[in-house]
Amino acid sequence: MRRSGVEWLGDIPLHWPLARFKHAGQFQTGMDHKHLGLGDIPVFGSSETPFGYVNRAMSSGPAIAIGRKGTIDKPFMLWGDFWAVDTCMFNSVTNPAFQIGYCFYVASIVPWLDYSTKTALPSLTQTQVDNIPLPMPPVVEQREIVAQLDRATTRIDALVSKKARFIELLREKREAQITHAVTNGLDDGVPTKDSGVEWIGRVPAHWDIVRLKRDISFLTSGSRGWAEHYSDEGAIFLRIGNLNRGDFRLDLSDVQRVSPPAGAEGERTKVQPGDVLFSITAYLGSVGLIPSGIGEAFVSQHIALARLHKKIFHPEWVAYAAISGVGMTYVETQGYGGTKVQLGLDDISGMLMTAPPVHEQRAIADHLNCVTTRIDTLVAKTERSIELLREHRTALITAAVTGRINLRNAA
């Protein structure tokens, strides 16, 4: 082994020259496609998902593609005829001394952001990508590396896909159990009746169907002008990004803080434990429940805050009903505003809810807390296992394309 002189490559085998990507084939920048007619040739930008189809091809794969602006750190392969726009660069690897599969595996570990412009919108130039270092094993070794990596990464990717599907099924089960609980309760043997609401269906005979406003003591949305009160310290400023779909626990991983002056108009939107929050201008169906111990916090203009008397509804029941399938169906029927779907406060107060006796609501909510916690724990463990698999995949590729392992033994 010898030092490559490139930090992200580290040491490489002594008999491997260090070339540049331009030695394998120069990158080409795509062109605008708006002058072309509709057809079946896919059009690519900075991601592997085509965003349109035209009637003429710019080139044919296989080719390595990389975003030139914005998303620049996720290279992908192009196959068959394609058109690339100017946010995409591609390299067809025309030098027979290089295997395109090997070059792609190297491209997948390149720290592209290190080679980008240090601007608000990172971008790459053709000169930069052409001159990125590229180890050059003998062609026979490149073929062996590609063959072994193809087998190893295929196995890993298949396992990741299975785990991702498992997470989807867990989340579907979670929603189904919530929806069943808020429409049927915990005893499937009780007499039922028609709720009179199509998307709710039959419910236990002793339950009522009640609009949320029957138990609302206070309903408001956030005020404008909070940006002038942003600060590094102070109260939490809850935005739509702090609400979730399918889970009413607040996401406080990214929190904005505010220091409003005493008597500011926005003080009416200060939350209390038990308040239920609803997104009303974007990501409709996102819900939050204010827990105890959150401290001082306010809501943005994009969030409605509902405070309950708690005589008809328990706050957790309302939150579970809102994120259930029936709650989401109600939201979908009420959104208005064309391309900017939104809800009014009347839509929130008019939300139809199943209303068991409050003590039964508490029991069902406690049951759902246990059920969702078990599912969420399993989802988190599965997500972590996917992260580890992807880390292993990257480490395996890095070690292989830099000659630090023999894949015949490592795969």
Side-chain angles (χ1 to χ4, degrees), residues 126 209 224 239 243 255 266 269 281 312 314 349 366 370 373:
Q126 184 172 338
I209 304 297
R224 299 176 182 272
R239 300 165 294 172
L243 308 186
V255 171
T269 67
T281 63
I312 299 176
H314 186 271
S349 65
D366 288 344
C370 294
T373 296

Side-chain angles (χ1 to χ4, degrees), residues 108-402:
S108 70
I109 67 167
V110 171
W112 293 95
L113 289 173
D114 291 350
Y115 294 93
S116 68
T117 59
K118 303 302 185 281
T119 56
L121 182 66
S123 59
L124 295 167
T125 68
Q126 184 172 338
T127 300
Q128 287 168 324
V129 296
D130 277 342
N131 285 292
I132 288 176
L134 176 64
M136 187 180 175
V139 172
V140 65
E141 287 189 51
Q142 292 183 42
R143 290 197 187 101
E144 183 64 21
I145 289 169
V146 170
Q148 295 287 353
L149 279 179
D150 282 350
R151 284 190 285 271
T153 58
T154 296
R155 287 196 297 270
I156 294 171
D157 292 344
L159 186 53
V160 167
S161 294
K162 287 181 180 179
K163 288 177 177 288
R165 178 56 182 156
F166 180 56
I167 289 174
E168 289 178 7
L169 293 173
L170 285 173
R171 287 177 172 155
E172 290 172 5
K173 179 181 180 181
R174 187 185 194 277
E175 181 183 336
Q177 293 204 356
I178 292 172
T179 300
H180 181 81
V182 301
T183 54
N184 294 83
L186 303 180
D187 184 359
D188 290 335
V190 300
T192 63
K193 65 180 181 182
D194 187 350
S195 68
V197 181
E198 182 181 357
W199 63 81
I200 293 179
R202 299 189 68 81
V203 298
H206 66 287
W207 289 19
D208 294 322
I209 304 297
V210 178
R211 293 194 184 275
L212 185 58
K213 63 184 177 183
R214 288 273 306 279
D215 199 45
I216 288 179
S217 66
F218 179 65
L219 178 65
T220 190
S221 60
S223 61
R224 299 176 182 272
W226 278 100
E228 60 188 85
H229 304 311
Y230 283 0
S231 66
D232 295 331
E233 299 179 349
I236 294 173
F237 185 54
L238 295 169
R239 300 165 294 172
I240 284 182
N242 301 121
L243 308 186
N244 290 301
R245 295 188 66 157
D247 189 347
F248 56 74
R249 290 171 296 184
L250 298 177
D251 179 359
L252 301 179
S253 58
D254 180 16
V255 171
Q256 176 63 57
R257 294 191 176 271
V258 290
S259 295
E265 192 274 338
E267 284 197 336
R268 65 178 170 77
T269 67
K270 185 185 295 186
V271 303
Q272 296 179 11
D275 287 348
V276 187
L277 310 182
F278 301 86
S279 60
I280 56 175
T281 63
Y283 302 107
L284 299 187
S286 298
V287 177
L289 179 64
I290 300 298
S292 59
I294 192 174
E296 190 177 38
F298 301 87
V299 299
S300 79
Q301 69 194 67
H302 305 293
I303 293 176
L305 180 159
R307 189 167 297 148
L308 306 176
H309 289 294
K310 302 178 186 176
K311 294 179 180 179
I312 299 176
F313 292 118
H314 186 271
E316 276 194 330
W317 177 266
V318 171
Y320 272 121
I323 65 173
S324 72
V326 293
M328 292 298 298
T329 300
Y330 174 82
V331 167
E332 290 167 1
T333 64
Q334 300 302 308
Y336 65 90
T339 57
K340 185 179 180 182
V341 180
Q342 55 187 318
L343 296 174
L345 294 182
D346 287 345
D347 298 313
I348 300 300
S349 65
M351 184 176 292
L352 287 165
M353 293 268 171
T354 51
V358 173
H359 73 274
E360 190 174 348
Q361 294 179 30
R362 291 195 187 99
I364 295 172
D366 288 344
H367 168 77
L368 286 175
N369 288 340
C370 294
V371 169
T372 57
T373 296
R374 286 197 299 269
I375 293 175
D376 293 343
T377 299
L378 188 52
V379 166
K381 288 181 178 178
T382 308
E383 287 176 333
R384 179 55 183 156
S385 69
I386 289 176
E387 290 177 10
L388 293 173
L389 282 169
R390 287 174 172 159
E391 290 173 4
H392 173 65
R393 186 185 194 277
T394 299
L396 189 64
I397 292 171
T398 301
V401 300
T402 55

Side-chain angles (χ1 to χ4, degrees), residues 1-2 12-18 136-138 141:
M1 304 292 286
R2 66 180 178 87
I12 60 176
L14 190 63
H15 66 289
W16 290 15
L18 188 60
M136 187 180 175
E141 287 189 51

Side-chain angles (χ1 to χ4, degrees), residues 29-35 43 56 58 83-88:
T29 301
M31 296 183 294
D32 184 50
H33 68 298
K34 294 177 183 176
H35 63 288
V43 181
R56 198 176 74 184
M58 172 184 291
W83 188 280
V85 297
D86 64 354
T87 58
C88 176

